Structures are given as C-alpha cells and as structure tokens.
C-alpha cells in the first residue's frame, strides 16, 4: 500500500509550548488510523497543521504524492483532504439539509445536484428524518453527525475526525463506529482522533500515540496497548502493573 | 425556500396602485424614496445580510455612483445611463480594493473599518475642488427625456425608474439565493472556519458579494443625482446615509430577500417625520433614532420585521 497522507518532521510552537515536536507518520490509502494521546498532547494542533488551518513551523505534509504544505484549508478540501472539528462547528441557523448541501456544492456546481447528493448522505448517516431542522435545534450527537455528513458530502479521499465520538452515549458510539467502517469500505481513508481507547482499539488498523507533542508509538492497536511507554503516557504509571 | 411567485405579484400590484391612490407630488416622493432605500437595503443585504459582513460605509459606493455619472455628464457630456455603468464598475473595483485588506478583520473590527473608510471618503471628496469640493455639483438641466434621465413635469418617471432599481436588486438577490454563491455566502456568515473546511474560498466569495452590492448601490447613487440634480459630499457620502442603508436591511430582516423593502416602508416615512419635526438640520436627531432602533432590533428581534412574519406563520395552522 502506498501512503496517501505523509507527515514528515512536523513541528509547531505556541510561544513556549511545543505542541507538535518533529512528528512523522504515514497513512495508507483505505486505512483507518487512530491518533491517540492525552488531552493537550497536540492532536488537534496536528490536524490544524495538516489541513491548512495553521501553518507548521517546520516539516512537510504530502497528500497523494504531492507536497501540500502551506496550501489553504479550502484548497486542501478541494484536493480531497477534509477534517471535522473537536468543538462541533455546524452552520447553526441553516437547516441540516442546507448544511450538507454546502458540503456537496464542492463537487456539484448546481444546487439541485448538490441537494440530491446531500439527501443521500443524510440518509447514510441516519439524519434524513431531521433534514429540515435547524442545526442549532439538533442534539449534540446529531450535530456531530451532521458535521461528519457535511464533510462526507464533499466526497473526500481522506477524512480526519477530531473526537467525533466523544460525548456520545454507547448506542450513538456504536452507530458512529459502524459508519466509519462503512466509509472505509466505500474507499475513504480515515484518521481518527479519540481519547476513548475502547473506541479506537477495535476500529483502527494502526495507532499513532502522541505525548507532549511527540509521536511515541506507531504500531497495531494490539502492539500499542502492550507498550509500557504508551500505557504510562496515556493512563499514568499506576496502570502499568495491571496491563 | 419561498417561491417568488406570490410576493413578486403582490409587489408589482402594490407599486402600480400606490401612485393611483396617493397622487400628490409629496406622496410620489415618499414612494420614490421607499423604493430607492428598498433597493439600497437590498444591495446592502447581499454583503451584510447574506455574507454577514456588516458595512456602515455603503455611502462610499452611493457617492461613487453619484459623482462618477455627474462628473462624466458635466465634463464629457456622457449620458447618465453610461455614467451609471461606469459608476457601478468603479464602485465594484473600489469594493474589491477595500475588501482585500478589510475582509481579514472579524465582526466588529470590520464594521468599524467601514465607518472609518466612509468618513475618509467623505472628507476627501469635500476637499477635492476638482469635483466641486464643499460647494458640490449642480447637474446641467436637460430637456425631459428618458435618454437624458431627467423629467421635469412629473415625478412619476422617477418612480418608475426607482421601481426598476428595486426590481434589479431583488432579482440579483433571488438569483444569488438560489445558486451556489448564495449557500456559500450564508455559510461564511454562519462560520467562516467551517466554510473553509468544506472548500469555500471565503475571501473570493466575500469579494464577489461586495462587488455586486457596491455596483447596485452605485446605480442608486446615479439615480439620486438625476433625481435631485445637485450633489455634494454631505448628501451622498455621510455616515448617516450609510447607517440608514444598513438599518433598512437590518430592521426589515437581514439575510431575507424581501426584508429591506419592509424596512424601507417603515424607515422612510419615519425619517420624513423626523425631518419635519426636527427641521432640515435634524441629522443629529436622525442618528439618535437610528441608533436606538439598531439596539432595539438586536435585542428584541434580530431577524427584523420579516422574522416577525415567520414567527406568526409558525403559529397559524399549517395547510396540509
Ligand atoms: N491556538 C493556540 N494558542 C496557544 N496554545 C495552543 C493553541 N492551540 C493549542 N495550544 C496548546 O498546544 C497544546 C496542544 O493542544 P491540542 O493540540 O489542542 O491538544 P489535543 O488536541 O491533543 O488535546 C496544548 O498545550 C494547548 O494548550
Ligand atoms: Mg483536541
């Protein structure tokens, strides 16, 4: 498998805080990659740097073999690299359908075609019955799903999900996991930021663990969950014995 | 999305009936001003209401329209209709040149920048003696004709043209609303960061909205010059005009196609009343009232008059 997305030596400071420290990894086409790490590890910053929302201080991002470092977020979305936000960002005063139409308009210039695509996607994510509800009136779980739907409607090659499942109840998490699996079967490459291990471990093909900005592990979920450095970083030293 | 059919028919009917019912020159004048401000508010709405970029500087584009056609008429004998097109093009260019630096500013900072730009333009024009300076410009009086864009026997032709201006601005709005750009502008208003994440070139769409809004505003400026036959910086560039344009849309319903018409229907008669009550120099009183209205709307009903209609409709039983 060739890498669809390659991160090489990515570094990002905020004043004295080193949010990403020389991070490198690749994501193969069709892969589900879990990106793990405690709060403040630098996961969201890494997403921001990869998807053009923040300029990295150093390092390169390659997408589909092309160096895309420094490209704008909107350009990268056109290239097929799309992310969602940890703190949900829907268009609050627009209906669920209009939210997704805006995503679909990236590949469909005509509103009528974009509407058809948007209705399909709403059906896929189980929001069809809520199409005409204003986004601000949806539940938190629905708004998260709507944001994923809006991103999907752009027909991305790679989708970066920033804690799309946190704050969901177990049933909603199960639905979201099933959705991610379906997406991958549809050929979408997925990078999943979560700090709920139980979600990522069974879902991901590979896991990268960040700690204080550095990638401290890059392996299969099984190997990572046995790695003492990861267990200590992630769960604290008291968990090492139990593991 | 609402179908255009019924409101458009009602609008045309009302516009036709109005001069038949209210025949006096003063009443026709109020009708002209309502349509003019409805057109201005509708033009403003493209940028302020749909794209959410609140401008308190639209008098700049109005003034560019008024001065461009007037100077071309006086200096080169160019038809005001061609001058109008030149003014619209110049205003669109100015909107793009001003937009590139100011559209980086968020929310209130953008609004403040537009006030500053408007006041700078106002001052510069007042001091530019080449185009009349503080004395202003009288338009040459030409025989009544459509080609000359002057009518001395009746105000009805102006009323008809004002209706045309409003129809043009409304048609532009309805076209924008139904197309990709309309969705993208509302997305930008709601959340520019989220818009970028799904591929919207935010600056490019803001500039497009600004250019269209400015061109339509400039066309109204030419109309004003041809209607009043005298312009100076205080009549076509003042802050109070910028605020009145914005308020027309905000009061009626920002981001709603028919909102500015409702706003103009309330504000124009109101400002005629304050003018009579406080005299011709009552500009200070105007600003106090406009300011109070802006506060009132943003607290009580951010969607303006048009949103009141929506709220009412929601309470009525829905037809099956
Ligand atoms: N815009 C910012 N300005 C300053 N510091 C930031 C900014 N964004 C993130 N940080 C800091 O960078 C570090 C990594 O944060 P973040 O990427 O949000 O971590 P995670 O998503 O893994 O929880 C934290 O110390 C955070 O406080
Ligand atoms: Mg985060």
């Amino acid at each position: 498998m060739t890498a669809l997305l390659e991160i090489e030596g990515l570094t990002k400071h905020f004043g004295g805080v080193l949010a990403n420290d020389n991070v490198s990894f690749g994501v193969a086409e069709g892969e589900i990659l879990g990106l793990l790490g405690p709060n403040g590890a630098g996961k969201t910053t890494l997403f921001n740097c990869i998807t053009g929302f923040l300029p990295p201080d150093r390092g390169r991002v390659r997408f589909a073999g092309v160096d895309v470092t420094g490209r704008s977020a909107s350009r990268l979305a056109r290239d097929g690299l799309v992310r969602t936000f940890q703190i949900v960002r829907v268009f609050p005063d627009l209906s669920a359908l209009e939210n997704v139409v805006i995503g679909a308009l990236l590949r469909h210039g005509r509103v009528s075609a974009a509407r058809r695509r948007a209705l399909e996607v709403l059906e896929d994510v189980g929001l069809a019955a809520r199409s005409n509800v204003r986004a601000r009136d949806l539940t938190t779980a629905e708004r998260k799903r709507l944001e994923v739907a809006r991103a999907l409607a752009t027909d991305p090659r790679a989708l970066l999900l920033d804690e799309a499942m946190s704050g969901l109840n177990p049933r909603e998490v199960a639905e979201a996991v099933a959705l991610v699996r379906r997406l991958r079967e549809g050929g979408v490459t997925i990078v999943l930021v979560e700090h709920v291990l139980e979600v990522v471990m069974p879902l991901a093909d590979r896991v990268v663990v960040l700690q204080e900005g550095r990638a401290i592990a890059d392996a299969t979920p099984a190997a990572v969950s046995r790695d003492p450095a990861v267990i200590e970083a992630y769960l604290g030293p008291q968990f090492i014995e139990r593991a | 999305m609402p179908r255009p059919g019924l409101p458009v028919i009602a609008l045309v009917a009302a516009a036709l009936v109005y001069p038949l019912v209210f025949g006096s020159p003063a009443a026709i004048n109020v009708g002209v001003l309502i349509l003019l401000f409805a057109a201005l508010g509708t033009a403003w709405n493209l940028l302020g209401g749909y794209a959410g970029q609140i401008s308190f500087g639209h008098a700049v584009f109005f003034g560019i329209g008024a001065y461009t056609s007037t100077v071309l008429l006086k200096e080169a004998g160019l038809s005001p209709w061609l001058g109008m097109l030149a003014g619209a093009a110049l205003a669109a260019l100015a909107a793009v040149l001003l937009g590139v630096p100011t559209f980086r500013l968020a929310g209130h900072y953008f609004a403040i920048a537009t006030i500053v730009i408007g006041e700078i333009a106002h001052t510069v024009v007042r001091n530019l003696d080449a185009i009349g300076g503080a004395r202003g410009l009288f338009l040459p009086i030409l025989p009544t004709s459509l080609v000359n864009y002057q009518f001395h026997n009746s105000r009805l032709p102006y009323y008809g043209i004002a209706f045309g201006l409003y129809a043009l601005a409304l048609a532009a709005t309805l076209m924008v609303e139904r197309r990709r750009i309309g969705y993208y502008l509302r997305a930008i208003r709601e959340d520019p960061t989220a818009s970028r994440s799904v591929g919207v070139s935010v600056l490019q769409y803001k500039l497009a909205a600004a250019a269209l809004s400015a061109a339509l505003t400039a066309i109204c400026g030419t109309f004003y010059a041809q209607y009043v036959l005298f312009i100076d910086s205080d009549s076509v560039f003042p802050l109070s005009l910028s605020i009145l344009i914005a308020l027309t849309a905000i009061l009626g319903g920002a981001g709603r196609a028919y909102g500015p018409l409702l706003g103009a229907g309330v504000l124009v008669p109101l400002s005629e009343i304050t003018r009579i009550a406080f005299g011709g120099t009552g500009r200070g009183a105007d600003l106090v009232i406009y300011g109070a209205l802006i506060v009132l709307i943003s607290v009580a009903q951010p969607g303006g008059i048009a949103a009141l209609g929506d709220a009412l409709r929601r309470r009525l039983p829905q037809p099956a």
Side-chain angles (χ1 to χ4, degrees), chain A residues 53 73-74 77-78 82-83 85 89-94 98 101-103 105-106 108-109 111 150 154, chain B residues 1 178-181 183-184 186-202 204:
Chain A
F53 284 90
S74 56
R78 283 195 288 278
V82 175
R83 58 87 62 89
F85 296 90
R89 301 192 86 123
V90 292
F91 304 124
D93 276 337
L94 305 184
E98 288 170 320
V101 165
I102 286 162
L105 281 166
L106 184 63
H108 305 272
V111 171
R150 185 181 65 197
T154 66
Chain B
M1 225 178 264
R178 278 158 182 68
R179 281 170 170 70
R180 165 147 68 182
I181 182 173
Y183 282 81
Y184 276 8
R186 287 180 295 160
I188 290 166
R189 175 191 70 203
E190 298 280 302
D191 189 334
T193 301
S195 303
R196 285 192 181 91
S197 79
V198 289
V200 179
S201 306
V202 171
Q204 189 185 312

Side-chain angles (χ1 to χ4, degrees), chain A residues 14 17 19 37-46 54 86 162-163 193:
Chain A
F14 294 108
V17 178
N39 262 327
K43 306 179 296 290
T44 296
T45 302
L46 188 61
L54 280 177
Q86 179 174 352
D162 197 351
E163 306 208 13
V193 162

